[in-house]
Amino acid sequence: KRHVVVYCEHRGVSHTRHLIFDTDTQAQDFATLIEDHKREDENRIAKKMRHALGGIKLQPGEVVTLLIEIVSGSDLPIADLTSSDPFVICYLNGKEVHRTDHI
């Protein structure tokens, strides 16, 4: 039996899994599949970033600053007996980066 250790992070939560395979070939095929999917995701993210930048070329190490303005909310459900005090949580890469006061 062969095993592959898979580490992943989703929405800020880390997971480690040990997967057992009957043969080296099955373990290698699985590892190759995971690496292929990882590369596809990285390419998809890079393509989205190029599209969002509209042809602007970033220098190595250059940082993009995002300004997000929370304008309004509508049709929000009542959370307690008489009213709602909604707020917005902004996440980046699965980590909370900002939480508004109630809007």
Side-chain angles (χ1 to χ4, degrees), residues 14 19 33-34 38 40 44 49 54 73 76 80 82-83 101:
S14 299
L19 306 173
L33 181 68
I34 293 298
K38 182 179 174 186
E40 288 173 10
R44 196 171 15 257
M49 180 60 85
L76 301 170
D80 54 29
T82 58
S83 67
D101 292 329

Side-chain angles (χ1 to χ4, degrees), residues 6 8 12 17-18 21 24 29 31-32 37 48 51 59 70 74 80 83 88-89 93 95 102:
V6 178
C8 62
R17 298 289 184 261
H18 296 266
F21 297 90
D24 285 337
D29 288 348
T32 300
H37 281 284
K48 284 181 180 181
H51 179 73
Q59 299 298 317
I70 311 300
S74 61
D80 54 29
S83 67
V88 175
I89 302 173
N93 291 330
K95 295 190 171 128
H102 65 277

Side-chain angles (χ1 to χ4, degrees), residues 36-94:
D36 289 347
H37 281 284
K38 182 179 174 186
R39 253 189 313 281
E40 288 173 10
D41 284 346
E42 290 168 352
N43 290 337
R44 196 171 15 257
I45 290 167
K47 185 177 179 182
K48 284 181 180 181
M49 180 60 85
R50 284 192 305 272
H51 179 73
L53 291 173
I56 297 171
K57 302 283 186 195
L58 296 177
Q59 299 298 317
E62 189 173 1
V63 176
V64 175
T65 301
L66 302 176
L67 174 62
I68 300 171
E69 183 176 2
I70 311 300
V71 178
S72 67
S74 61
D75 297 324
L76 301 170
I78 293 175
D80 54 29
L81 294 176
T82 58
S83 67
S84 178
D85 295 324
F87 57 92
V88 175
I89 302 173
C90 297
Y91 292 92
L92 181 63
N93 291 330

